[in-house]
């Protein structure tokens, strides 16, 4: 076919599609160049034109092109230089899911399934739950009916990529004439190109982010003002005003002087000067540690004070005095002053332990089991029976039965399904539990009886947490809602709805004016308890959020996900300060130390990790632009004997408690 015929066919095609002005411009162009106009043709009946147009349309609708083009792009990306490979591979997942949805949308169901099954293993490690949802998209109607698929189609993905990686990708697409891949990338991906060398794959949590209507909504919500400070006239506030809260350095100096005098006397009397010198050196080291702690805490700005939005319960005098005594004697922790750790290990649970909880003073430990039971151990009584282990299941030869015939734990029965969460009230006189039977139950640790059954959720309740002052509690469920309750009412006071999937964990803010919820939709939300409105949306996790913790001053929040990533957020700006990379499995529990200088994390990888919070929060705004310089420091890792960590708790005196069920190591 000669060039003139091709030009005629192109003009005819443009006219047939209604682009008459473009056709006229093309005719004029050829007239100026060739000195003659194109001869008019019957583009409706011309057989060669019809054949050419049909070949173009068939090529556009050919389902095999998706597999062929994606496979070539995948091979090219995997064979690229290691320096740029991880950035180029970021493009593959959004291209993969949109190829699949395009095939489904065009009615090529079988080809779509074959394409999906051929390449899904490339993305299962990071996007397993998303792929499980997309498996259910089997017809064009599902793309509109399924909320997840609809949001993907309407949103764009932001991908950070260096200039050289971006140029390599464009060169490949143009050289291979991959118009199909180019169209998908152009429609669904926004590239944020930066100069310099590519960052490592784990350095930047914002390397791949989704933008669209949801992101716009989140940005709008995050503009709302929140009051993150501590409550006026709190116990900590009273101690600071009266000067009753001694710093660890002051306590350390006083103790070291007394110890030094005693050691001198002992050395004079007994003549053991060597031991005296060692003692003095140890005391000087303690002073140095205390001074470092004082310097670190002195740079932190004062925490603002806010008024409570809820009517808080009146604290009894005995409980108040006990808490004040603990606060006065709290050990000041820092990067050079580590906490002591007490680990409670459950044995013989036969994989039946679903959750664990530790009271604020560590004297009580509760476990929730798959057989719908709850067991509460009193640590003071365990030593009396001669057994130091927390036994799980009941056997005829149960070693937890003492010689007098009594068990060393309290058995609480009432639920009709697996127990997924348990939590102690601040004084330790009540336990709340939530279950797959959709109910929440309140138990008395003094009467060892069930007091109230709260019904409101329609599906399993994954988590329940007492407020820092007791009386109020929050729950979250498979029904995508979180609810706020009070002990004296059987109906919820507030219902927080907005998550797109299960709400897996809930946590109170220290001032009780907000609760935070983590969800399988990979987001964390902050809710105002008075209005029930969402006031913050935190976006950044790449898997379901399983644990939450609030810093004691109420300014920061940490969240842990299924992949083992922990993120620390600034509540006022809704921005992630830094990601914490170290765990290689689910992070089930998080806890801040009493003064907020350390963060402890417990994971299914059978470790407890301590992170330095103070060094991160000191960074300036200029340093925040460089993610690697603003990363939290992992101070220490405590490995367990094949025991996944279910629960963590810092006592008021800064002793770290942990609990978990020992499991058989994989052979």
């Amino acid at each position: 076919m000669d060039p003139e015929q091709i030009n005629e066919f192109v003009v005819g095609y443009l006219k047939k599609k209604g682009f008459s002005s473009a056709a006229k411009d093309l005719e004029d162009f050829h007239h100026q160049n060739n000195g003659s106009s194109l001869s008019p043709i019957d583009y409706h009946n011309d057989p060669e034109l019809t054949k050419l147009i049909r070949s173009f349309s068939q090529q556009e609708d050919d389902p095999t092109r998706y597999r062929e083009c994606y496979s070539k792009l995948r091979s090219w990306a995997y064979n690229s230089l290691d320096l740029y490979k991880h950035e180029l591979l970021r493009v593959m997942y959004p291209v993969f899911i949109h190829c699949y949805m395009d095939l489904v949308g065009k009615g090529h169901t079988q080809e779509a399934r074959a394409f999906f099954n051929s390449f899904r293993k490339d993305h299962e490690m990071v996007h397993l739950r998303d792929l499980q949802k997309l498996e259910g998209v089997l017809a064009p109607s599902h793309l509109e009916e399924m909320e997840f698929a609809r949001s993907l189609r309407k949103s764009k993905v932001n991908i950070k990529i260096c200039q050289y990686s971006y140029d390599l990708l464009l060169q490949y697409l143009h050289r291979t004439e991959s118009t199909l891949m180019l169209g998908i990338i152009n429609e669904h991906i926004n590239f944020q190109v930066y100069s310099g060398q590519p960052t490592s794959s784990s350095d930047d949590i914002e390397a791949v982010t989704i933008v669209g209507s949801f992101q716009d909504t989140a940005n709008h919500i995050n503009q709302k003002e929140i009051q993150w400070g501590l409550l006026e006239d709190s116990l900590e506030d009273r101690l600071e005003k009266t000067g009753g809260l001694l710093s660890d350095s002051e306590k350390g100096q006083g103790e070291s002087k007394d110890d030094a005098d005693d050691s001198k006397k002992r050395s004079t009397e007994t003549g053991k000067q060597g031991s005296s010198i060692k003692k003095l050196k140890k005391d000087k080291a303690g002073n140095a540690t205390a001074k470092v702690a004082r310097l670190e805490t002195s740079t932190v700005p004062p925490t603002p004070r806010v008024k409570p939005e809820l009517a808080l319960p009146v604290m009894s005098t005995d409980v108040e005095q006990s808490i004040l005594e603990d606060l006065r004697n709290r050990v000041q922790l820092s990067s050079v002053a580590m906490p002591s750790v007490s680990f409670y290990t459950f044995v013989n649970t036969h994989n039946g332990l679903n959750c664990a909880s530790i009271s604020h003073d560590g004297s009580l430990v509760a476990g929730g089991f798959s057989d719908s039971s709850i067991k509460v151990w009193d640590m003071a009584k365990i030593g009396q029976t001669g057994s130091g282990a927390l036994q799980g299941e009941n056997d005829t030869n149960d070693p937890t039965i003492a010689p007098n015939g009594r068990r060393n734990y309290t058995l609480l029965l009432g639920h009709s399904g697996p127990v997924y969460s348990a939590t102690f009230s601040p004084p330790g006189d009540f336990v709340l539990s939530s279950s797959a039977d959709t109910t929440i139950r309140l138990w008395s640790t003094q009467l060892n009886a069930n007091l109230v059954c709260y019904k409101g959720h329609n599906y399993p309740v994954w988590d329940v947490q007492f407020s820092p002052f007791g009386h109020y509690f929050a729950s979250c469920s498979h029904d995508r809602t979180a609810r706020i309750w009070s002990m004296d009412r059987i109906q919820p006071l507030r219902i927080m709805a907005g998550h797109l999937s299960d709400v897996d964990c809930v946590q109170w803010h220290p001032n009780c004016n907000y609760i935070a919820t983590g969800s399988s939709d990979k987001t964390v939300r902050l809710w105002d308890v008075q209005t029930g409105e969402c006031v913050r949306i935190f976006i950044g996790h790449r898997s379901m959020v399983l644990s939450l913790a609030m810093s004691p001053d109420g300014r920061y929040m940490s969240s842990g996900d299924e992949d083992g990533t922990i993120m620390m957020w600034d509540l006022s700006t809704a921005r992630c300060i830094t990601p914490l990379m170290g765990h290689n499995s689910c992070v089930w529990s998080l806890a801040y130390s009493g003064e907020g200088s350390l963060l402890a994390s417990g994971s299914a990888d059978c470790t407890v990790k301590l992170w330095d919070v103070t060094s991160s929060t000191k960074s300036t705004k200029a340093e925040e632009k460089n993610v690697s310089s603003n990363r939290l420091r992992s101070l220490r890792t405590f490995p367990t004997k094949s025991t996944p960590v279910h629960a963590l708790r810092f006592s008021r005196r800064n002793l770290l408690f942990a609990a978990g069920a020992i499991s058989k190591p994989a052979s």
Side-chain angles (χ1 to χ4, degrees):
M1 186 181 291
D2 59 27
E4 283 196 16
Q5 281 184 302
I6 294 176
N7 292 332
E8 290 176 2
F9 286 149
V10 172
V11 172
Y13 178 79
L14 292 173
K15 289 182 178 179
K16 183 177 180 179
K17 293 295 184 180
F19 301 108
S20 54
S21 59
K24 186 176 183 305
D25 291 340
L26 185 59
E27 284 181 324
D28 293 342
F29 175 77
H30 285 293
H31 177 69
Q32 293 173 2
N33 289 340
N34 301 329
S36 61
S37 61
L38 295 170
S39 58
I41 61 171
D42 185 4
Y43 54 84
H44 287 287
N45 300 316
D46 189 286
E48 289 196 40
L49 175 61
T50 304
K51 183 179 178 181
L52 185 63
I53 293 173
R54 189 180 294 116
S55 69
F56 276 125
S57 61
Q58 286 176 351
Q59 195 177 20
E60 288 174 359
D61 295 332
D62 185 6
T64 60
R65 290 186 65 231
Y66 284 89
R67 174 189 282 270
E68 179 184 345
C69 294
Y70 180 82
S71 181
K72 288 181 179 178
L73 179 62
R74 175 179 176 273
S75 299
W76 173 80
Y78 275 100
N79 291 324
S80 300
L81 290 174
D82 291 341
L83 183 62
Y84 308 104
K85 183 192 296 185
H86 68 272
E87 287 198 337
L88 297 173
L89 289 178
R90 291 171 185 167
V91 180
M92 300 310 300
Y93 178 68
V95 171
F96 169 74
I97 59 175
H98 285 292
C99 282
Y100 173 69
M101 289 191 288
D102 283 356
L103 284 169
V104 172
K106 293 178 179 179
H108 304 300
T109 306
Q110 292 184 351
E111 291 83 355
R113 297 303 306 162
F115 174 83
F116 186 83
N117 293 329
S118 297
F119 301 109
R120 67 173 295 169
K121 288 185 179 179
D122 294 346
H123 313 288
E124 281 184 342
M125 183 176 291
V126 180
H127 304 285
L128 178 61
R129 292 192 173 271
D130 288 353
L131 295 177
Q132 289 172 345
K133 293 177 184 178
L134 284 175
E135 273 187 313
V137 180
L138 300 173
S141 58
H142 294 170
L143 295 173
E144 292 300 323
E145 295 169 359
M146 188 175 176
E147 190 173 10
F148 178 68
R150 190 170 65 249
S151 65
L152 286 177
R153 300 273 279 183
K154 292 181 179 179
S155 302
K156 277 196 170 188
V157 178
N158 268 348
I159 296 181
K160 277 189 176 181
I161 192 170
C162 76
Q163 183 67 52
Y164 195 76
S165 298
Y166 180 70
D167 293 340
L168 284 174
L169 180 62
L170 288 186
Q171 287 174 15
Y172 167 80
L173 293 172
H174 285 106
R175 186 179 70 252
T176 57
E177 298 181 355
S178 303
T179 55
L180 182 62
M181 296 294 101
L182 186 59
I184 291 174
I185 290 173
N186 181 62
E187 185 177 356
H188 299 290
I189 298 178
N190 284 334
F191 287 106
Q192 295 179 345
V193 183
Y194 63 91
S195 58
Q197 292 296 321
T199 57
S200 67
S201 56
S202 60
D203 265 355
D204 195 349
I205 61 165
E206 297 182 350
V208 180
T209 55
I210 296 178
V211 295
S213 57
F214 179 71
Q215 182 70 50
D216 296 338
T217 303
N219 291 337
H220 175 71
I221 289 175
N222 292 341
Q223 299 301 317
K224 296 181 180 179
E225 184 179 356
I226 64 168
Q227 304 294 326
W228 56 265
L230 294 179
L231 290 180
E232 295 177 348
D233 201 33
S234 63
L235 293 179
E236 292 86 350
D237 203 17
R238 292 184 213 168
L239 280 175
E240 287 182 9
K241 289 178 179 178
T242 58
L245 186 58
L246 297 176
S247 68
D248 195 49
S249 58
E250 292 170 347
K251 289 186 287 186
Q253 287 173 356
E255 292 171 359
S256 62
K257 287 179 181 178
D258 295 339
D259 291 341
D261 293 339
D262 293 341
S263 63
K264 286 180 180 178
K265 290 178 182 177
R266 286 196 300 270
S267 64
T268 303
E269 293 170 359
T270 62
K272 296 180 180 179
Q273 296 180 357
S275 61
S276 171
I277 294 171
K278 289 180 181 178
K279 181 66 178 176
L280 287 170
K281 287 182 178 179
K282 186 176 180 181
D283 294 334
K284 288 179 181 178
N287 285 338
T289 300
K291 288 176 182 177
V292 170
R294 173 186 282 181
L295 288 173
E296 288 184 352
T297 54
S298 64
T299 58
V300 179
T303 304
R305 296 297 188 259
V306 298
K307 294 182 179 179
E309 294 181 358
L310 295 174
L312 299 179
V314 178
M315 192 178 298
S316 67
T317 305
D318 292 341
V319 172
E320 183 176 322
Q321 290 301 319
S322 174
I323 295 174
L324 287 171
E325 182 66 21
D326 287 341
L327 293 177
R328 288 192 187 98
N329 291 281
R330 185 167 67 195
V331 177
Q332 195 78 12
L333 301 180
S334 69
S335 58
V336 294
M338 297 292 184
S340 298
V341 184
S342 176
F343 199 101
Y344 299 138
T345 304
F346 293 79
V347 297
N348 298 334
T349 62
H350 308 298
N351 296 322
L353 181 72
N354 292 332
C355 63
S357 182
I358 305 167
S359 63
H360 287 255
D361 59 1
S363 62
L364 298 175
V365 179
F369 293 85
S370 296
D371 63 0
S372 75
S373 68
I374 301 159
K375 297 172 184 178
V376 180
W377 284 264
D378 188 333
M379 292 296 105
K381 295 179 181 178
I382 281 189
Q384 297 174 5
T385 60
S387 172
L390 307 185
Q391 298 288 339
E393 300 295 330
N394 295 328
D395 296 323
T396 54
N397 299 321
D398 194 339
T400 62
I401 300 177
N404 58 7
R406 295 182 179 180
R407 290 186 174 87
N408 61 5
Y409 62 80
T410 302
L411 183 64
L412 305 176
L413 297 175
H415 284 293
S416 59
V419 178
Y420 290 128
S421 180
T423 180
F424 285 97
S425 62
D429 50 351
F430 297 106
V431 176
L432 277 170
S433 61
S434 65
S435 168
D437 62 12
T438 74
T439 67
I440 302 163
R441 289 181 180 266
L442 179 69
W443 311 82
S444 170
T445 56
Q446 297 170 346
L447 303 176
N448 298 330
N450 182 217
L451 303 180
V452 189
C453 179
Y454 302 94
K455 298 179 180 179
H457 287 289
N458 302 317
Y459 290 94
V461 185
W462 301 130
D463 193 17
V464 62
Q465 292 292 330
F466 261 114
S467 77
F469 294 89
H471 187 67
Y472 299 101
F473 59 94
S475 62
C476 59
S477 165
H478 177 59
D479 62 14
R480 305 183 182 183
T481 67
R483 302 176 188 228
I484 294 178
W485 313 70
S486 64
M487 290 171 58
D488 56 353
R489 295 176 182 268
I490 59 172
Q491 297 298 327
L493 305 177
R494 295 285 184 274
I495 298 177
M496 282 73 171
H499 279 292
L500 306 179
S501 188
D502 294 41
V503 185
D504 299 300
C505 53
V506 64
Q507 189 61 256
W508 284 84
H509 191 275
N511 63 24
C512 290
N513 291 339
Y514 305 96
I515 64 166
T517 54
S519 170
S520 294
D521 65 11
K522 306 177 188 177
T523 67
V524 179
R525 291 177 180 246
L526 191 71
W527 309 82
D528 189 315
V529 299
Q530 187 64 34
T531 63
E533 292 182 354
C534 178
V535 293
R536 287 289 183 274
I537 301 179
F538 305 90
I539 302 173
H541 282 286
R542 298 180 186 176
S543 59
M544 59 190 295
V545 182
L546 300 176
S547 54
L548 295 168
M550 294 282 184
S551 64
D553 62 0
R555 181 175 182 178
Y556 303 107
M557 175 182 67
S558 292
S559 54
D561 66 22
E562 187 182 32
D563 293 338
T565 302
I566 304 168
M567 292 189 177
M568 185 173 172
W569 309 88
D570 187 328
L571 295 185
S572 58
T573 62
R575 291 187 62 84
C576 179
I577 297 174
T578 180
L580 285 67
M581 307 292 186
H583 290 294
N584 53 35
S585 190
C586 310
V587 179
W588 282 341
S589 186
L590 294 167
Y592 279 92
S593 60
E595 73 294 317
S597 62
L598 299 181
L599 174 68
S601 59
S603 170
D605 64 9
C606 303
T607 63
V608 175
K609 288 183 180 290
L610 292 177
W611 308 85
D612 184 6
V613 176
T614 309
S615 62
S616 173
T617 55
K618 283 181 182 178
S619 61
T620 62
K621 293 182 179 179
E623 289 175 335
E624 288 179 3
K625 296 179 181 178
N626 186 354
V627 179
S628 59
S629 68
N630 196 27
R631 186 177 299 280
L632 283 190
R633 211 155 40 96
S634 177
L635 296 176
R636 191 166 178 186
T637 299
F638 299 95
T640 66
K641 293 183 178 179
S642 189
T643 305
V645 184
H646 281 78
L648 289 173
R649 164 86 69 185
F650 272 101
S651 71
R652 296 189 184 95
R653 298 194 182 197
N654 265 343
L655 174 63
L656 178 59
F657 295 102
I662 194 166
S663 60
K664 293 181 180 179
S667 57

